Amino acid sequence: MESLIGLLVGAPLLGAAVLLCGGRRLDRTGHWLGTLLAAASFALAAVLFLDMLGRPADGRAMHQHLFSWVPVGGFQADVAFQLDQLSMTFVLLITGVGTLIHLYSVGYMEHDARRRRFFGYLNLFLAAMLLLVLADNYLLLYVGWEGVGLASYLLIGFWQHKPSAATAAKKAFLVNRVGDAGLAIAIFLMFTTFGSFAFAPVLSDAGAASEGMLTAIGLTLLLAACGKSAQVPLQSWLGDAMEGPTPVSALIHAATMVTAGVYLITRSGAIFNGAPDAQTVVVIVGAVTLLFGAIVGCAKDDIKKALAGSTMSQIGYMVLAAGLGPIGYAFAIMHLVTHGFFKAGLFLGAGSVMHGMNDEVDMRKFGGLRKYMPVTFVTFGLGYLAIIGFPGLSGFFSKDQIIEAAFAKGGTQGWILGAVTLLGAGITAYYMTRVMLLTFFGEKRWEPDAEGNAPHPHESPRSMTIPMILLAFGSVFAGGLFKAGDSFVGWLEPVTTFEHGHPPVSALTVTAATIVVLLAGVAVAWTQYGQRPVPKTAPRGSFLTRAARRDLLQDDFNHVALVKPGEYLTRGLVYIDHKTVDGMVNGTAASFGGLSGRLRKVQNGFVRSYAVSMFGGAAVLVAATLLMRAV
């Protein structure tokens, strides 16, 4: 079975190569080829998963070595794969949800003239993400990491004729480059410390390294995770990335790219376990982003950007859990998987609404759509209940575990983290209820667009609704299956290690508090948006509301803290270059030019001038000779 691992990456990679290089002859069938190869990768993942289940828990890891990439002395870089319980979880999520998004895209992109190219980019994205989670060393992981960045740039800016889409793609690429630099530095530090960047020697020898070195490696890995997973302070690209087609939002922001940072931290658990300071920073970043994204999601009228803020917040939950160490690793991945189901379903539901509303995204122009789009309403509604943590649905089980683990941190820090996670749950219930009410309830508020075209909301075709239905099943049942008998924790324990936390209050008390906070958030949203008329334009609101509409001034901060100093630095360097470097070069050239100009006057071609020069020279020699004799 080990020989089949490479085919997981090979199938979508083949699809990307054929679709992007095959030319227009594939325009009519290319989308089905891309979907078929994504499904083939998922089918192969299912076969490998069944084979893995038949092995003992401590013998389930599989390895495949393809070839030596860079064998130079002590520097050995291999193209090799590692398939264990952690990477298998990601492979199933990536290929499963990815295949459903491919199928959804068949209908969503039906009238796009560049549909073949779009599916080529989707296949390329899947291949890069699979390479990232299957690599058995950090250098090969870095290749997948950069591949995901490239594919996301191509997908976010797919409608590049729109200046906003082209700008969003560049922004995502540049912000992620900052995080990518962190991963590169971490790999350098690993090699100088351990003499290798393969997982096995680095993670097994982590305990022998100094705490200072582990802290440095951990912080640079966290910087990388902040970029890919849109965590503070590298979160500014996520909302703008909604400019891409909706399937891109579902693929990148639900089950793949934004989860890469959580995977990196969890995979590197041995490093963070030996660096408590780095772990503390991870927890702080997760807690801040959790609230940051939730507050932003409350103020957005664009349905996709409201969900983008939600993604940022939910990934914050995962990063916080991963920062808790062995008591949180498994719960971070558990919430990651359940989030992959319900957030992908929510994004696809948003795309279905846009499909029926002439691509309108302003929720204030929706209303009453449950009557016109019943399948979308039910599937989106189940995703809504899952993400707010409604008892019995997937989000309830995974998020509740993270809240318990936060309290189990102990001491004052545990109480603070527990309060933050509870507050985040309440805000999540508020803004997601707001999305539901504005979109599917109340009176219809849609109007003709600028060209006079009135929306005619209708249900989406089956190619779009079937993936939404399947994801809704995951939103409902996945969490309960994972929680039953702690099956998911037991599945991951050989890879991530697990320790039972001991919160200062009982699990029942934590659950009760979570439900109370959830209901409070729903009630506040219902009071504001379910019992009052919805104005066509948002009221001015408080300073916090206005700031939240502008993503809590993150772009303004970046402009003041980074862009402006960068401009001044550039101007200073240009001035130094012009006045000093160019001045020295130009001055030297001018000096020699002037000297040569003066010497050139001596060679004028007139015999009388040469005779005078000879006479003068002779006179000087005679005078010098006489002077020397006299002395």
Side-chain angles (χ1 to χ4, degrees):
M1 283 293 178
E2 285 83 352
S3 60
L4 300 177
I5 299 175
L7 296 178
L8 292 169
V9 181
L13 187 60
L14 174 64
V18 171
L19 291 174
L20 296 176
C21 302
R24 294 183 178 178
R25 64 178 66 89
L26 292 173
D27 282 352
R28 301 179 67 179
T29 59
H31 50 286
W32 289 116
L33 175 63
T35 303
L36 179 63
L37 288 172
S41 186
F42 174 67
L44 180 58
V47 171
L48 290 169
F49 174 65
L50 293 175
D51 177 73
M52 185 177 285
L53 287 178
R55 303 184 181 201
D58 56 355
R60 287 173 171 167
M62 293 181 273
H63 297 82
Q64 182 185 19
H65 181 276
L66 293 184
F67 58 89
S68 293
W69 178 15
V70 188
V72 180
F75 186 91
Q76 182 72 29
D78 296 327
V79 175
F81 300 125
Q82 174 176 307
L83 185 63
D84 55 21
Q85 291 91 322
L86 178 61
S87 52
M88 175 57 80
T89 301
F90 276 83
V91 166
L92 288 171
L93 180 66
I94 293 164
T95 57
V97 175
T99 299
L100 293 177
I101 292 172
H102 274 70
L103 180 60
Y104 177 94
S105 302
V106 171
Y108 191 87
M109 302 294 290
E110 181 179 4
H111 302 295
D112 196 292
R114 300 169 64 235
R115 181 166 63 169
R116 169 184 56 83
R117 183 177 295 274
F118 180 78
F119 276 82
Y121 292 160
L122 286 183
N123 273 196
L124 178 63
F125 188 95
L126 283 190
M129 191 67 196
L130 288 169
L131 179 63
L132 190 159
V133 299
L134 285 170
D136 85 331
N137 62 82
Y138 285 96
L139 190 61
L140 188 60
L141 180 150
Y142 185 80
V143 176
W145 194 271
E146 293 299 320
V148 169
L150 170 63
S152 65
Y153 168 79
L154 296 172
L155 287 168
I156 294 169
F158 182 75
W159 287 330
Q160 57 200 21
H161 59 277
K162 297 166 55 179
S164 57
T167 301
K170 289 186 289 185
K171 184 176 183 179
F173 187 81
L174 292 173
V175 172
N176 273 274
R177 291 304 302 159
V178 177
D180 297 350
L183 181 56
I185 294 172
I187 294 173
F188 297 155
L189 294 175
M190 289 175 192
F191 189 78
T192 56
T193 304
F194 305 105
S196 174
F197 34 69
F199 291 156
V202 170
L203 299 179
S204 62
D205 296 344
S210 67
E211 183 177 323
M213 179 55 69
L214 292 179
T215 299
I217 296 174
L219 292 177
T220 49
L221 289 175
L222 174 60
L223 178 62
C226 286
K228 279 290 183 288
S229 294
Q231 300 292 285
V232 172
L234 300 179
Q235 80 287 4
S236 62
W237 65 271
L238 190 66
D240 296 282
M242 297 299 106
E243 291 293 337
T246 298
V248 175
S249 303
L251 183 66
I252 293 178
H253 306 131
T256 52
M257 180 173 173
V258 293
T259 65
V262 182
Y263 170 79
L264 182 65
I265 295 172
T266 305
R267 174 64 76 185
S268 307
I271 293 173
F272 285 95
N273 292 341
D277 291 339
Q279 273 190 328
T280 300
V281 177
V282 172
V283 169
I284 293 172
V285 167
V288 171
T289 310
L290 185 164
L291 295 178
F292 189 104
I295 293 171
V296 168
C298 292
K300 295 295 184 180
D301 292 329
D302 183 319
I303 186 171
K304 289 175 64 177
K305 290 191 175 183
L307 294 178
S310 170
T311 295
M312 192 188 305
S313 178
Q314 298 304 308
I315 299 295
Y317 269 105
M318 302 171 206
V319 171
L320 185 152
L324 296 175
I327 66 173
Y329 289 137
F331 302 139
I333 303 302
M334 182 177 174
H335 192 54
L336 183 152
V337 176
T338 59
H339 177 265
F341 286 116
F342 56 68
K343 183 53 65 65
L346 289 169
F347 269 118
L348 296 189
S352 180
V353 170
M354 293 169 58
H355 181 269
M357 292 292 290
N358 294 348
D359 290 329
E360 179 62 65
V361 295
D362 188 346
M363 293 183 291
R364 293 182 180 275
K365 298 179 181 179
F366 294 161
L369 292 181
R370 70 185 187 280
K371 302 175 183 177
Y372 303 89
M373 310 179 72
V375 176
T376 301
F377 168 64
V378 172
T379 56
F380 193 98
L382 291 173
Y384 152 72
L385 292 175
I387 194 173
I388 68 173
F390 189 82
L393 275 70
S394 292
F396 168 77
F397 294 104
S398 57
K399 191 185 296 183
D400 194 63
Q401 295 282 17
I402 293 177
I403 296 173
E404 288 183 27
F407 277 108
K409 181 66 175 177
T412 304
Q413 187 178 7
W415 283 104
I416 294 174
L417 293 177
V420 167
T421 54
L422 278 176
L423 178 60
I427 300 176
T428 301
Y430 169 81
Y431 69 72
M432 285 305 305
T433 302
R434 175 178 180 268
V435 170
M436 281 295 297
L437 294 174
L438 288 177
T439 304
F440 294 104
F441 292 88
E443 299 297 326
K444 61 181 184 180
R445 300 183 299 276
W446 57 83
E447 300 175 348
D449 59 21
E451 299 176 357
N453 300 318
H456 297 286
H458 56 278
E459 192 56 86
S460 300
R462 289 185 179 179
S463 63
M464 295 172 65
T465 57
I466 290 176
M468 291 158 56
I469 293 171
L470 294 176
L471 288 169
F473 273 97
S475 301
V476 174
F477 299 111
L481 292 175
F482 294 158
K483 176 64 176 176
D486 288 331
S487 58
F488 193 79
V489 172
W491 164 258
L492 288 179
E493 189 171 1
V495 181
T496 60
T497 68
F498 176 72
E499 294 179 6
H500 286 281
H502 301 286
V505 292
S506 67
L508 183 60
T509 301
V510 173
T511 300
T514 304
I515 294 175
V516 169
V517 170
L518 180 158
L519 294 176
V522 172
V524 173
W526 172 256
T527 300
Q528 292 184 347
Y529 298 97
Q531 295 184 322
R532 301 176 185 175
V534 177
K536 294 181 180 180
T537 58
R540 188 166 184 269
S542 64
F543 171 77
L544 179 60
T545 300
R546 298 195 301 273
R549 289 181 189 140
R550 297 179 60 182
D551 300 327
L552 291 181
L553 308 179
Q554 55 186 320
D555 286 333
D556 302 82
F557 174 80
N558 290 342
H559 189 77
V560 172
L562 301 175
V563 176
K564 278 298 183 182
E567 290 179 353
Y568 292 137
L569 176 62
T570 302
R571 292 172 186 171
L573 292 176
V574 169
Y575 179 83
I576 293 173
D577 180 63
H578 286 171
K579 297 299 183 180
T580 305
V581 179
D582 287 352
M584 293 175 60
V585 173
N586 295 336
T588 303
S591 299
F592 279 97
L595 178 62
S596 64
R598 291 176 174 81
L599 291 176
R600 188 166 56 246
K601 293 179 180 180
V602 178
Q603 303 291 332
N604 56 19
F606 293 111
V607 175
R608 62 179 178 271
S609 298
Y610 297 154
V612 171
S613 299
M614 293 171 62
F615 177 78
V620 170
L621 289 174
V622 171
T625 301
L626 293 174
L627 181 62
M628 291 177 63
R629 287 183 176 181
V631 175

